Each structure stands twice: as C-alpha cells, then as structure tokens.
Amino acid sequence: MSHRERKVILSLMLLVAACLSAQERQVDNMNFDWQFSRDSLFRDSKRIDVPHDFQIEQPWVAPAANEQADNSDAAANVKSRLSARGFKEMGTGWYRKTFVAANEWKDRRVLLDFEGIMLVGDVFLNGERIGGTDYGYVGFEIDITDQLKYGQENILVVKASTMGEKNSRWYTGGGLFRPVSIVVTPKDLYFNRHPLHITTRDNRYVNITAELTNRTKSRTASIGLKIFDPQGQLVYQGEHRCKRISPARTMEARLTEVEIPKPLLWDTEHPNLYTAVVTLTREDGSIADEVSEQFGIRTIEIGPAFGLKLNGKKVLLKGYANHHTLGALGAAAYPRAIEKRIQLMKQFGVNHIRTSHNPYSRQFIKLCDQYGILVVDELYDKWTQQYAGGRVPFMNHWAQDVTEWVKRDRNSPSVVLWSLGNELQQIADLPFGDFGVTCYKMMKTVLQRYDSTRMTTVAMHPRYRNWETDSLPCDLAMKTDVQSYNYRYMYFPGDGKRFPWMTFYQSEASTGNMGPNFFEMDLDKVIGLAYWGAIDYLGESQGWPAKGWAQGVFNITLQPKPKAYLMKSLFSEEPLVHIAIVENAHADMMWNGVQTGNQQLTERLRTGTPLTLYTYTNAEEVELFVDGRSVGTKRNPADAKQRNQLLWKDIACQKGKIEAIARNNGKIVARHQLETTGQAVRLVAETDNTHWKADGMDLQHVSITAVDEKGRRVWDADDELTFEVEGPARLVAVANGDITSNESYQATSRHLWHGHAVAILRATQEAGTVVLKVKSKYYKQLTIELKTQNSKL
C-alpha cells in the first residue's frame, strides 16, 4: 500500500468517525472569497483567496540616485533603503470577508484561528477591533462568541502591515499569508488550543496529556483514546476517567501510558506516523469535543561524543537554512510549493532544514514529519522590538510567542532542536544588557514548561564584537544546550578541547566554502550543518538589479545550479559526477570575514575558448573526455579543501562535447556530459503534480524549456512567452530564475532565461480540465491539457 493510499484510508476513517459523533468540534476553512484593498475603505478592491502576499504584487523600487545599490556603507551615498526587503515598498493591506454565523452556533463557543498575519496585524469584527498579532510568524485565536450576529451577515476585516523597512533584514511579504479558520466547540466542556502533548518512551510507550476546560459546575468526564498505525489500523483503544473537574477551570489530564505493539519507528528513511484521536465525553455519554494529532515514535540523543543520534544511531544533519518565502509566490504559504521544495531537497541528499529565523507554517512542519526531514525549529532573529515585529517592545510578547510556537510543534517527530534566536551578539541593546544570557534563561524556562524532551540553542557568532581577536566563546554559548555557530566551524576543535561538554552544530555554512566547511569538521562528533541560502531568495540583495540573495545552489525557481551537485556529492551516497564550467572565477563577496560569494558556474558549453571547469564527484576518480578524446584521469583527493571537486584548466573543446566518467575500483559508477546545441526550435513542458486537487489551494508548476531539434535545452534562448489559462485554475505566478529581472512575478508573460521559465497555476474548488497555452513570436504555440481531481476522492 502506498503512502498516499494510507493517507486516504486514514482520512476517510477520521471523516466517518466525525460524522458519527455528536456535533462537537467544527472547523471551517475561511481561506476563500476575501476582498483585498490597499485602502481601508475598500474603494479599489479585488477578490483574493488566502494564502496571499500583497507585497509580492507591488512593483520593484530601484534605489534612489543618492542610495547605494546594496546595503553597504558608502562615503558619498546612503545605504539602500529597500535592498534588504527585496526592493518592494512597505505598506498596509486590508482584507474583508462577509459570512453568516449559523443560528446553531448560538449556544456554542466560536473562535477565529489565524496561523499568522505578516508582519503585524489587527482583526475587526462588525466594526470593532477584537484582537491581532504583534509578531505575525506565530498563530493566535480570538473568541468571537459574544461579538457575532447569529443568523445574520458578519463583516470580518483584517489589517496587515509590513511595518518599516528596518523591521526586518529580509523580504517578509505582507498579508494573510497562512490559513484562516473558524472553530466551533461546545461552551461547557472543550479542549483548549493545541491541547495534546504526546511523548514517547523507549521507542515503545506513548504518553498523552490533554488540556481541557470546564466552564460549568463541578463534574466528571471521560477521555477516549484511539491510536491508529501508519497503515490506518487501530492499534489501541481505551478510556480515561476524570473523576472530578472543578468548575470554571482549565486542567491537564494525563492519560494512561500506552504500549504500542511492534512499533514502527519514525526516521529519515521511514517516516512512520501514528495518529491519536482523543474524544472528550460528558457524564451523560454525549461527546463534547474531539481532536486528533499525528506523531512519530522515535528517540533523539545529543551529546559531544557523537553529535546526534536518532533511534540510537548516529545521524548527521545535512541541510540548509533559508527564510520562509517561496520564490515567485512570495510569503504565501502554499502547501504544494513547500512540498515541492522538500521533495527536491530529498533528491539532493538533504535530511535537515533550519527554519531561519522564525517559525515556518504548520504545514511545513507536517510535511517534514511526512518526508523524514529533521528540523531545527527557530523562533526569532534578534530579541529586540525592531526585529520581532517592530510594533511593541519585545518583552511584551515573547512569553506568548514561545508558548504558541512550542505547543504547536512539540508533537512533531521532525523537530529535533529548538532555536530561540540568531546572531544576538551583533546587537548592543538586548534586554538586561548581558548579550542575551538572562533572556535565554527566561525563554528556556517557559519553553520547558511545555516541552522538556528537546534541547535548546541559539544560532550565534560565538565571539562577541570582534571575531578576529576574541579567544573565548561568548557567555551565551556557555549557557545553551547546543553550541550553534554560524560559519565558525573552525572554532569547534579549540572550544571543544577547553569545554568538553560542548556539542557543536554549524547553524549556517557558506555555500562559497562548500566542501571544506563540511569535511573539515569532525563528522563523527558534530551534529551537522545547514548551508545558508542554498535556494536563492528575495531580500538581502547584494546590489540592484538583484532583488535578493543570489549565492544559492538552486535558483529562485528551484532549478539546480551546477554547484548543487557538489552539495549532493557531500550529502548523498549515490555515486555521481557533474561538470561545472567556470564563467567568472571571482567570488570575493565577504561578510564578517566569511566568503559568501560563489563563482559563476554554468552547463552552457561553448567552443573555441579554453575552459576552466570542475567535475563534482563522490567517486574515487574521474576521467575527462573532450571531443571523444581522454585528457586524463584525476583521483578524488583526500584533502578537505579539494575533495569532491576536481579542477581542470585549459580545456580546449572544438567539436562541442565534454564527458566525465566516474569510477570506483575501476568500474564506471556515473557519467555526465555537456554538448553544444543547435538553435531553439520548440518549447516543451513538464508538470510536477500528478494528483492536482480541486481544493482551491493545490498548485501545478509547469516548467517550459526551449529545446533544439535533438531535444536539448538551449541555454541562450531568451524569448518572451505569454500564458493563457482556461478552465478551473488561475495563473498565480511566473518566473524564470533570473533574480536580476525587472519583470513581475504576478504577470501573464515572462522571458525565458537560460532557456527556461515556470508558470504556477492554482486550482479552484471545481474539478475539471485546465488548458494552459504558451505563446511566443518565434515558437509554435504549446498547449498543455491538465486535469484537477475532486479533493474528496
């Protein structure tokens, strides 16, 4: 039975159970049919669906004449105002939705649930402000029971603000970028927000605590528990009696420890997920509330002698750290776009993602549970008002943020380490003036109130102000459970010798130094590493016209750059070889003494000019053939600075073909070749979603490539394409990977770049046939017929 089939069976079981139950908990999707405007009076509005990022739709804003093209200091010019924020203007977006509150809700408890509002937000119901958020990366709920007009129309309005350009160091996006729901429960007896705390012991026993509230007189109740295995089979059913629940009280009920027969463990290759269904029943036998949660049975150990163990076996974190945005979609948290990234990264050997520098969406964490990705879950960048929302002092909301974040993600087996912040040593005005030590202790105390099963850390520059001269770790590095150093892996041996209790994790590693910063660590003892900005992203531009970070090994459309295969050679045991031609050898971009720039590499082969190239490989040796003739064989060196990247100079290619053959023990294990191509003659399409659901949320990424008569990608093709969509879907973004382009992502046309472009379609809630037409002046029209499927099937 496939993973997808198991998910369908389990979903149907839970749906049947819900239908057979009394009218307990009801969760309705509120993502569709909003009106959006930049004007609070909605004089110029349009219909949108959530998730939505209004900032990505705005035009690019080039630096003014007196501004630097990037954010560096200059004697004559001022710093670029918007380079950090993706050259998009700051502002406010307004959302309005009209809905009818059912009369059946009158005697029930009604909540609005927002998973986030970017960057800060305010919520109004029928003209009255009822709540909001001062840190939009974490969710919140609002009890609207007493504010609703039952049986009548209600007007919900949300104000979202990006705040000022200095309130983030990267592109955040703006608006209702994550799901919105309305939740209806009984008034008298119900489960609270994120009520379940599920832990496992000895990879066999399951313990569950449920948080509930009784709003009436002293009473008894029972809590039923069902546990389903990864195939959807019931493996446990039992009941816990609450002998007495005090009136008007919230309590935590600890259920009986459950032993799972023949447990299927969760790990990176076998991400087995169990499901707990917990039912709250009144003394008269009627069902009050019911919730469910997936969990995994696994153990995590962290220590200086081995780094990290998963289920008793050493596992090295091999991953990356990026911001939360999703390329051309901006900050809008589409589950399918997140899944596409995770699937791609798994193909390249990645088993780890650090959520820098804020919580990603809940769906991201659930997908990591599903695909076996190990997550370092991070809450903040800096512990200051400026970088934590910008609207109110940091100390006013950190406890609420920690509570929401931990309770939301604590049952996910993918989360292996909590990270509370990033690079605090660069900030002088942290609370308490001790470079974060007191603040860390406070946050850790609250965090452990809700989860004591994981360690905590802070990503940091391990020295104070002067990374060149300070000889000892900063005070905060002496307090965290794990010593997470950004880039400074070279301090691991010395700090470990002086402080043998330290356990090290390279929380950011430079792609510019990829290879040495992996092999020069003691891989048997460290937790692992996360390559910073492995995927290009908006914001933190190194200079206009680049709209963001361009030093990744994947471009903003997720097309792998040649260096992605060096990363794969480090992370994967699959034999590989890949040719990368050097176009520009200069990689002198530095940040705090770290080389962050990359050489410009390509797979576009040109003849007539001597070439410098790399062959990336994890094999023992590579033989290079040019125009059918061997030019030599090179062994993969043991030296960490050159390992897996063999350099070849003065390669003269005349006939247009270079091939690399990799061998282990004399046997061919991998090969890769580049050829010159003819003129582009047609377009070809590739889709990525064979089960495109008509749920109003699911996406289809359609890659368009210009090819020659032999079907080879033509890297020089740069023609303009126009896109037309017919049927139950709409075009939500177009892109081509060129982060210097001034074209909009929200348009109906896009030029090819390196012979490639992508169109992203969002399904409606109606199943049917979707036709995408791709037109250009040069190529024959390309027509792609797709189908969306009923999401309930």
Side-chain angles (χ1 to χ4, degrees), residues 63-272:
N66 67 333
E67 289 182 329
Q68 282 289 99
D70 58 20
N71 205 36
S72 63
D73 292 304
N77 293 345
V78 298
K79 289 184 177 183
S80 172
R81 186 173 64 88
L82 295 174
S83 64
R85 303 294 291 268
F87 294 105
K88 295 284 190 178
E89 192 56 81
M90 304 299 100
T92 299
W94 293 85
Y95 297 82
R96 183 174 64 193
K97 182 177 178 64
T98 300
F99 67 99
V100 175
N103 281 316
E104 292 77 12
W105 296 354
K106 279 185 179 180
D107 297 322
R108 311 194 74 201
R109 174 174 169 261
V110 186
L111 308 168
L112 281 173
D113 187 336
F114 292 86
E115 196 181 310
I117 302 175
M118 188 51 45
L119 179 58
V120 300
D122 300 283
V123 182
F124 305 84
L125 182 63
N126 299 324
E128 176 187 353
R129 186 185 186 278
I130 56 172
T133 179
D134 294 313
Y135 186 60
Y137 291 106
V138 297
F140 63 99
E141 67 182 16
I142 306 170
D143 190 330
I144 59 173
T145 306
D146 296 334
Q147 284 78 32
L148 283 173
K149 299 177 181 177
Y150 295 97
Q152 303 178 47
E153 285 192 345
N154 292 263
I155 299 176
L156 177 63
V157 173
V158 178
K159 175 186 177 183
S161 173
T162 63
M163 299 298 289
E165 59 266 16
K166 294 183 179 180
N167 290 123
S168 179
R169 299 186 299 114
W170 56 85
Y171 175 84
T172 62
L176 289 177
F177 74 128
R178 292 180 185 166
V180 183
S181 302
I182 196 161
V183 180
V184 184
T185 75
K187 276 186 178 180
D188 63 324
L189 186 64
Y190 52 84
F191 289 122
N192 292 353
R193 183 172 178 82
H194 310 310
L196 302 184
H197 187 193
I198 306 173
T199 59
T200 60
R201 181 174 66 85
D202 298 338
N203 275 348
R204 185 172 51 174
Y205 299 99
V206 177
N207 289 279
I208 300 179
T209 299
E211 185 180 297
L212 58 97
T213 294
N214 172 34
R215 289 296 182 197
T216 60
K217 62 183 181 180
S218 179
R219 69 195 310 168
T220 61
S222 63
I223 300 176
L225 171 63
K226 294 180 181 179
I227 297 178
F228 297 91
D229 71 10
Q231 285 73 41
Q233 299 297 313
L234 182 68
V235 294
Y236 175 82
Q237 182 171 0
E239 186 175 83
H240 170 83
R241 295 289 298 174
C242 299
K243 294 181 180 179
R244 182 178 182 275
I245 308 176
S246 299
R249 182 190 169 193
T250 294
M251 64 169 287
E252 292 181 344
R254 185 178 299 276
L255 310 188
T256 303
E257 184 174 68
V258 175
E259 181 177 1
I260 301 297
K262 298 180 181 180
L264 299 172
L265 303 187
W266 185 96
D267 61 30
T268 57
E269 300 305 317
H270 309 92
N272 293 301

Side-chain angles (χ1 to χ4, degrees), residues 435-480:
F435 291 96
V437 171
T438 299
C439 209
Y440 169 77
K441 290 179 179 179
M442 293 169 55
M443 285 193 282
K444 181 179 176 181
T445 299
V446 174
L447 186 156
Q448 290 190 319
R449 160 66 179 83
Y450 298 104
D451 177 49
S452 60
T453 68
R454 298 172 178 87
M455 289 188 174
T456 59
T457 191
V458 173
M460 65 187 81
H461 287 296
R463 303 308 188 249
Y464 280 106
R465 293 283 182 174
N466 196 326
W467 55 267
E468 295 178 303
T469 60
D470 287 351
S471 60
L472 292 175
C474 64
D475 288 351
L476 186 57
M478 305 293 286
K479 301 298 182 183
T480 54

Side-chain angles (χ1 to χ4, degrees), residues 640-778:
K641 294 190 181 301
Q642 301 176 42
R643 188 171 169 184
N644 285 24
Q645 38 191 332
L646 309 181
L647 179 63
W648 308 75
K649 294 183 178 181
D650 298 321
I651 300 299
C653 182
Q654 302 299 330
K655 297 181 181 179
K657 182 177 180 181
I658 297 179
E659 183 176 22
I661 296 179
R663 296 184 179 91
N664 285 334
N665 297 319
K667 296 182 179 180
I668 296 175
V669 293
R671 61 203 314 157
H672 181 232
Q673 74 174 31
L674 300 179
E675 293 181 306
T676 54
T677 64
Q679 185 177 6
V681 296
R682 68 179 185 275
L683 301 173
V684 295
E686 182 180 358
T687 59
D688 77 328
N689 191 348
T690 57
H691 300 281
W692 192 15
K693 299 185 296 296
D695 61 359
M697 298 284 288
D698 204 10
L699 300 180
Q700 184 75 255
H701 296 74
V702 184
S703 291
I704 308 297
T705 306
V707 299
D708 67 5
E709 289 182 347
K710 294 183 178 181
R712 298 171 298 190
R713 177 175 176 174
V714 180
W715 290 82
D716 292 331
D718 60 359
D719 307 87
E720 184 178 24
L721 308 179
T722 59
F723 302 91
E724 296 178 6
V725 179
E726 299 174 358
R730 59 189 177 89
L731 187 67
V732 290
V734 291
N736 61 14
D738 181 8
I739 207 162
T740 68
S741 172
N742 291 330
E743 294 176 291
S744 172
Y745 292 123
Q746 277 61 52
T748 57
S749 64
R750 191 79 176 189
H751 283 81
L752 294 167
W753 185 66
H754 292 171
H756 179 258
V758 175
I760 306 176
L761 281 62
R762 179 175 182 170
T764 68
Q765 295 175 278
E766 176 186 355
T769 300
V770 177
V771 177
L772 173 64
K773 297 178 181 179
V774 186
K775 302 178 180 180
S776 76
K777 293 182 179 179
Y778 181 75

